[in-house]
């Protein structure tokens, strides 16, 4: 599959504001489509199967893996996450651009398969702001927040491997930078 200009990989520590930023970018560019991942984590309030994720049991996830249906997969904060080949193929087949929201290790694996994809890292203004945002979200327990902060520190060390790093301080500026980066 030729993916030049067709695949955008976005990584960001949890709480960096990536979803808000991407939703704005999607509203401004109708060719951008979200490639839906599979996960074994439980849905959060408001999350819809097939829209935000394909929610799977751990067994169902392992079955997908065994059938070779995923480009990559990882274990993150105790749950499986992976990118179904079909999620990407459906978008690219229509001539649209697939946006893959995946963490840093998955992104590194995707780079081996699709070296021509555009890699964008969204960074929080600081770890303190990240912690505030995770708490404000109110969806994670204290231990889950601590775990996500530890992971975030690790993830920030990967930012240098990306084509573009966007610091999500001011949302309007960050959205404009994102749209410019993927032109
Ligand atoms: P959350 O539980 O906050 O939705 O996602 C946790 C992390 O998993 C985020 O960094 C998100 O980008 C990452 N993630 C979501 N889907 C995938 C995927 O398909 N593959 C990989 N490797 N990471 C994913």
């Amino acid at each position: 599959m030729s993916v030049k200009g067709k695949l955008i990989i976005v990584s960001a520590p949890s709480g960096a504001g990536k979803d808000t930023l991407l939703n704005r970018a999607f509203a401004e560019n109708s060719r951008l489509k979200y490639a839906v991942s599979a996960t074994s984590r439980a849905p959060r309030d408001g999350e819809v199967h097939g829209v935000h994720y394909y929610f799977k049991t751990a067994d169902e996830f392992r079955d997908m893996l065994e059938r070779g249906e995923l480009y990559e997969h990882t274990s993150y904060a105790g749950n499986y996450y992976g990118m179904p080949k079909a999620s990407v193929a459906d978008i690219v087949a229509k001539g649209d651009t697939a946006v893959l929201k995946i963490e840093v290790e998955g992104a590194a694996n995707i780079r081996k398969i699709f070296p021509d994809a555009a890699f964008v890292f969204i960074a929080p203004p600081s770890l303190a702001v990240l912690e505030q945002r995770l708490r404000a979200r109110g969806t994670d327990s204290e231990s889950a927040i601590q775990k996500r902060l530890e992971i975030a520190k690790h993830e920030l060390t990967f930012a240098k491997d990306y084509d573009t790093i966007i610091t999500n301080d001011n949302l309007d500026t960050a959205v404009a930078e994102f749209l410019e980066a993927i032109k």
Side-chain angles (χ1 to χ4, degrees):
M1 173 165 55
S2 166
V3 296
K4 208 158 182 69
K6 292 287 176 212
L7 273 195
I8 299 169
I9 317 302
V10 181
S11 300
S14 157
K18 137 190 95 191
D19 293 320
T20 315
L21 191 160
L22 287 179
N23 287 339
R24 282 272 305 274
F26 287 159
E28 303 219 4
N29 182 341
S30 61
R31 306 245 60 156
L32 295 179
K33 305 282 181 204
Y34 174 53
V36 181
S37 298
T39 184
S40 65
R41 91 152 157 71
R44 298 193 183 113
D45 272 357
E47 284 185 332
V48 177
H49 179 76
V51 176
H52 300 93
Y53 279 106
Y54 294 110
F55 293 103
K56 305 280 178 184
T57 63
D59 278 346
E60 287 169 343
F61 192 98
R62 284 189 285 263
D63 286 345
M64 290 183 84
L65 197 56
E66 272 172 29
R67 290 195 297 263
E69 293 175 8
L70 304 175
Y71 275 130
E72 58 75 40
H73 70 284
T74 194
S75 186
Y76 182 102
N79 296 299
Y80 294 124
Y81 294 82
M83 182 54 63
K85 294 176 182 172
S87 291
V88 176
D90 289 351
I91 297 170
V92 175
K94 291 187 188 121
D96 288 331
T97 297
V99 177
L100 284 65
K101 256 187 350 182
I102 59 184
E103 50 61 66
V104 293
E105 323 245 325
N109 288 328
I110 287 282
R111 191 179 284 115
K112 291 179 205 149
I113 309 171
F114 299 119
D116 290 337
F119 289 81
V120 180
F121 190 92
I122 300 169
S126 68
L127 281 171
V129 170
L130 186 66
E131 183 165 355
Q132 269 169 22
R133 287 180 184 168
L134 285 175
R135 286 188 197 291
R137 189 156 77 180
T139 53
D140 294 309
S141 66
E142 181 58 32
S143 69
I145 290 174
Q146 291 307 329
K147 202 185 247 178
R148 281 176 185 271
L149 279 174
E150 278 310 307
I151 298 171
K153 281 186 205 160
H154 171 67
E155 287 179 324
L156 285 167
T157 66
F158 284 75
K160 60 177 183 353
D161 300 333
Y162 286 68
D163 301 318
T164 309
I165 302 174
I166 295 174
T167 302
N168 191 9
D169 194 354
N170 174 289
L171 183 61
D172 289 332
T173 312
V175 171
E177 282 176 13
F178 180 79
L179 292 171
E180 181 63 28
I182 62 165
K183 253 190 198 161

